[in-house]
Amino acid sequence: MSLLRIAKRQEPLGVGGSCCVLAAALALSLALAGVFLALGGTSPLSALSVLLHGAFGSRHALEDCVLKAIPIYLCALGVAVAFRLKIWNIGAEGQFALGAIGATWAALTFPELPKVALLPLMAAMAMAAGGLWGLVPAILRQRLRTNEIIVTLMMNYIAVLLLDYLVYGVWKDPTSFGFPMTPLFSDAAIIGRIGGTTINWGLAHGLVLGLLVWAFFRFTRTGFAVLAGGDNVRAARYAGLPYDRLVFLVMVASGALAGWAGFVEASATVNRLQPSIMVGYGYTAIVVAWLARLHPLAIGVAALLLAGLRVGVENLQLDLQVPAAFGGIIEGAILLTVLAGGFFTTYRFTRRKRP
Amino acid sequence: MSTEIVIALLAATVQSGTPILFATLGEILSEKSGVLNLGVEGVMILGALVGFVVARHSGNPLLAFVAAGLVGSAATAVHGPVCLWFQGNQVVSGLALTIFGVGLANYLGTAYIGTPAPGFSPVPLPGLSELPVLGPIFFNHDPLVYVSYLVPPLLWLFLHATRYGLGLRAAGEYPAAAVAAGLDVVAYRWLGVVGGGFFMGLGGAYLSLAYTHLWTSNLTAGRGWIAVALVIFAFWRPGRAVFGAYLFGGIMALQLRLQASGAQLPSSILLMLPYTLTVVVLVLSSWRKGSSDEPAALGVNVAPVD
């Protein structure tokens, strides 16, 4: 008989306690990653220093973090909107690809338009394409009761292949010496940089959209309906909430946000469409959304953190020849430990009294 | 098409369906105990890597195959504490396991890309392989395919004809009743998770040891996710899983043939086929959902409070 027994907490763990659990989870993940580094023959401590210094140690590094955090943030925001209704949208990666495709279509079709017309058109096309990619699994789920986890995931694979098809085929730049990429966008199709930094105005897009999502859940009836529906589907149906329409709405919004991320990435970061824009932001976004417990502000912090991790791992790759896949190990470990740590927010251990 | 081509295609169907079959059966075992494991993709790829590495260093493919199964169990054992002890969400935990497993396999496997390792080659079964049509399709394969023929009936027998199987299904259908009947639900769920992981690991190892005979990053290419979908298509029944796995094996074999024959379609469109088919198959299975054997408590954690 163990000396400890498990009891449900009367009140959920406070902010301080939650932060302790989170910090412990992060430390455990890093320690685990260190073990694998040591297995691969790299000193964990020097790696940690390279990782931290590479991610946060210079102005250039910090700017790189913010640059990567923008698409991760937008995707995570989208994922969180769907998760609020307990719809498992694992498809941010594909919706991101579709957004990039939609924006690219506008950029390549109307290169002569002025910037004030072309950028909004690209954003609209990105949101439409990403939103459509989110709507399909939602319709299948509500009408045919298919599992949205698998459908959204399969549509990721299809979206990446569609992107490949376009850049290897009809959209391929004839002057690219056979490289799979579209021609460079015209100047009007490129989101500019903020002042003298390398950071683009996508950051502002992220802030505004984040604020909108927060306001949607805080102030609107529909936002409240989504939260209620996520808490209890059956009760929401009895209360007369249009559950089907809510599902469609959150999936379209979710896909549109990820699509916007694809638009920013294609327009501001690479200035064209090419397969290398698919680096798994859509999967990182799931880790971020869960880490932040779906709250828009916390998602911003978590997005910066995981963007920093990516930048740091790139440095590991350059300086210590650690394979890039190493980032996945840490991301997976963080998600697992944070998930397990959630236990301590609802349960506590008490000492068993002697009989 | 001539008969020989069709027979060759069907034989290739069985071969490319085999890794998916192992993984699907593993997921059925796990889900029957009530634990949804979306980590199949990550577990499979770890199995593929470990199988390859052990074969390369030991020179013994059979040892490598078993080692991959054990590593599959060990990898899914990560899912256990998170969901069975710490009440973590099973969907998110499985996703994390996939991210973790794919990252780990690609990380540790970098050194092995492009290196050779011994694997399995076809061994025609005496007598049976002489049968017309059926012989070349089913009985002219590597030994692992023959092993895969035995697993579905054995899994069915385990689930439906042993008390452990009954206990495991009870843990997945109605854990509260199982607890009241004196069963250790958490232990049965552990059995489902870890046992399922064993078969997922075997499925991965089949890829590197008998299918491609080499290691590349992202070797599994979504097969783990297809297995998750096939469990639904199979209505959680081992027998139907065979049918589903060969359906996907068929489409993959066909797609390779079409690419090789220089078809007019671009390869990216052909590569979409299995993923599109997965969506189609899910839609089709929703038609007869009433006749499925979905465990009632699938994905629902058992609270630890005593």
Side-chain angles (χ1 to χ4, degrees):
Chain A
M1 205 72 209
S2 75
L3 286 167
L4 295 172
R5 65 188 290 275
I6 297 164
K8 203 151 192 158
R9 284 183 190 279
Q10 302 297 321
E11 283 169 22
L13 196 60
V15 175
S18 299
C19 285
C20 282
V21 170
L22 203 62
L26 288 177
L28 193 64
S29 318
L30 283 178
L32 191 66
V35 171
F36 286 114
L37 272 182
L39 280 179
T42 312
S43 151
L45 283 180
S46 61
L48 186 66
S49 122
V50 169
L51 192 143
L52 289 178
H53 188 76
F56 306 111
S58 66
R59 187 188 148 149
H60 174 76
L62 282 172
E63 287 186 357
D64 206 13
C65 284
V66 175
L67 271 182
K68 286 192 164 56
I70 295 168
I72 296 177
Y73 177 74
L74 286 167
C75 288
L77 204 58
V79 164
V81 169
F83 282 5
R84 283 274 183 200
L85 192 59
K86 296 226 166 64
I87 304 294
W88 299 105
N89 178 16
I90 315 299
E93 185 80 354
Q95 292 143 14
F96 174 92
L98 261 284
I101 290 171
T104 302
W105 176 82
L108 295 180
T109 315
F110 306 103
E112 306 300 329
L113 280 180
K115 202 165 202 150
V116 286
L118 186 52
L119 282 182
L121 179 67
M122 286 167 73
M125 291 314 297
M127 289 177 79
L132 186 73
W133 217 244
L135 182 63
V136 171
I139 292 177
L140 291 179
R141 181 187 196 272
Q142 294 316 112
R143 293 286 175 266
L144 298 164
R145 288 184 296 165
T146 60
N147 181 314
E148 79 275 17
I149 300 171
I150 300 167
V151 175
T152 50
L153 210 119
M154 287 299 132
M155 288 179 69
N156 288 347
Y157 287 99
I158 297 172
V160 171
L161 288 165
L162 180 66
L163 194 153
D164 280 353
Y165 166 72
L166 291 169
V167 294
Y168 279 96
V170 286
W171 283 354
K172 188 153 115 183
D173 179 5
T175 64
S176 72
F177 302 104
F179 285 107
M181 49 173 68
T182 66
L184 268 181
F185 291 170
S186 64
D187 280 346
I190 292 174
I191 299 174
R193 291 176 174 175
I194 303 177
T197 68
T198 54
I199 299 168
N200 59 60
W201 283 102
L203 179 63
H205 301 179
L207 294 177
V208 172
L209 289 168
L211 202 62
L212 284 176
V213 168
W214 174 78
F216 170 72
F217 284 115
R218 183 77 179 71
F219 298 118
T220 69
R221 277 178 68 106
T222 318
F224 182 74
V226 169
L227 295 180
D231 268 350
N232 191 335
V233 179
R234 207 172 289 173
R237 279 190 198 266
Y238 278 127
L241 290 179
Y243 184 74
D244 282 6
R245 261 188 279 162
L246 290 179
V247 173
F248 298 153
L249 174 79
V250 295
M251 280 303 287
V252 169
S254 190
L257 285 165
W260 195 299
F263 154 55
V264 171
E265 196 65 7
S267 164
T269 310
V270 288
N271 307 147
R272 53 159 48 117
L273 188 63
Q274 57 189 45
S276 69
I277 71 164
M278 304 307 301
V279 288
Y281 288 146
Y283 296 111
T284 301
I286 298 166
V287 182
V288 167
W290 204 260
L291 201 60
R293 298 212 186 146
L294 314 183
H295 188 278
L297 185 64
I299 291 175
V301 178
L304 267 174
L305 195 69
L306 285 221
L309 182 66
R310 274 175 176 268
V311 176
V313 168
E314 279 177 8
N315 277 277
L316 280 183
Q317 202 181 354
L318 287 174
D319 291 3
L320 301 174
Q321 284 75 49
V322 174
F326 185 66
I329 301 180
I330 309 185
E331 282 188 16
I334 289 178
L335 196 48
L336 283 168
T337 49
V338 165
L339 210 52
F343 176 83
F344 297 98
T345 59
T346 32
Y347 296 96
R348 66 196 169 95
F349 289 104
T350 55
R351 204 176 286 255
R352 203 179 278 278
K353 289 200 182 79
R354 286 174 190 281
Chain B
M1 269 198 275
S2 72
T3 330
E4 281 107 68
I5 295 180
V6 174
I7 287 177
L9 187 66
L10 289 176
T13 293
V14 171
Q15 215 207 354
S16 38
T18 299
I20 304 176
L21 177 59
F22 277 120
T24 308
L25 295 171
E27 182 69 16
I28 288 180
L29 185 57
S30 180
E31 291 194 13
K32 273 290 177 188
S33 77
V35 182
L36 177 68
N37 182 0
L38 296 184
V40 194
E41 180 79 5
V43 176
M44 262 185 107
I45 197 165
L46 279 174
L49 176 70
V50 168
F52 187 82
V53 170
V54 172
R56 181 165 160 73
H57 291 300
S58 73
N60 183 343
L62 188 63
L63 179 73
F65 188 59
V66 176
L70 293 176
V71 163
S73 288
T76 43
V78 173
H79 197 49
V82 176
C83 300
L84 299 180
W85 296 346
F86 291 119
Q87 311 293 303
N89 183 297
Q90 294 182 8
V91 172
V92 184
S93 172
L95 276 171
L97 185 55
T98 288
I99 297 174
F100 180 78
V102 172
L104 184 59
N106 285 339
Y107 167 69
L108 295 175
T110 313
Y112 292 93
I113 293 173
T115 62
F120 291 90
S121 12
V123 180
L125 277 188
L128 286 172
S129 62
E130 314 285 312
L131 288 171
V133 184
L134 291 181
I137 294 177
F138 289 107
F139 302 111
N140 194 2
H141 287 291
D142 54 84
L144 301 184
V145 171
Y146 307 139
V147 173
S148 78
Y149 294 157
L150 300 178
V151 180
L154 287 178
L155 180 61
W156 187 89
L157 276 176
F158 168 75
L159 287 174
H160 294 275
T162 69
R163 34 186 293 241
Y164 295 112
L166 181 65
L168 185 136
R169 284 188 292 133
E173 290 293 344
Y174 199 169
V179 169
L183 297 180
D184 188 342
V185 168
V186 173
Y188 275 109
R189 288 192 161 193
W190 267 108
L191 177 68
V193 169
V194 173
F198 185 79
F199 292 110
M200 295 168 198
L202 295 187
Y206 186 86
L207 281 174
S208 59
L209 292 175
Y211 190 67
T212 60
H213 290 280
L214 45 81
W215 167 257
T216 57
S217 46
N218 298 318
L219 181 67
T220 42
R223 285 181 177 84
W225 290 107
I226 291 175
V228 177
L230 277 182
V231 174
I232 300 170
F233 173 73
F235 296 155
W236 288 263
R237 292 176 199 158
R240 275 182 65 103
V242 178
F243 177 62
Y246 289 159
L247 182 66
F248 276 88
I251 204 80
M252 285 174 173
L254 184 70
Q255 164 225 314
L256 279 177
R257 303 275 141 138
L258 283 174
Q259 269 190 56
S261 72
Q264 291 302 304
L265 283 166
S267 65
S268 35
I269 301 293
L270 285 174
L271 284 170
M272 283 179 196
L273 279 176
Y275 309 117
T276 318
L277 181 68
T278 309
V279 177
V280 172
V281 148
L282 280 183
V283 168
L284 291 181
S285 7
S286 73
W287 278 352
R288 289 179 48 211
K289 208 143 199 177
S291 58
S292 105
D293 289 344
E294 179 174 2
L298 177 60
V300 180
N301 282 330
V302 180
V305 181
D306 50 14

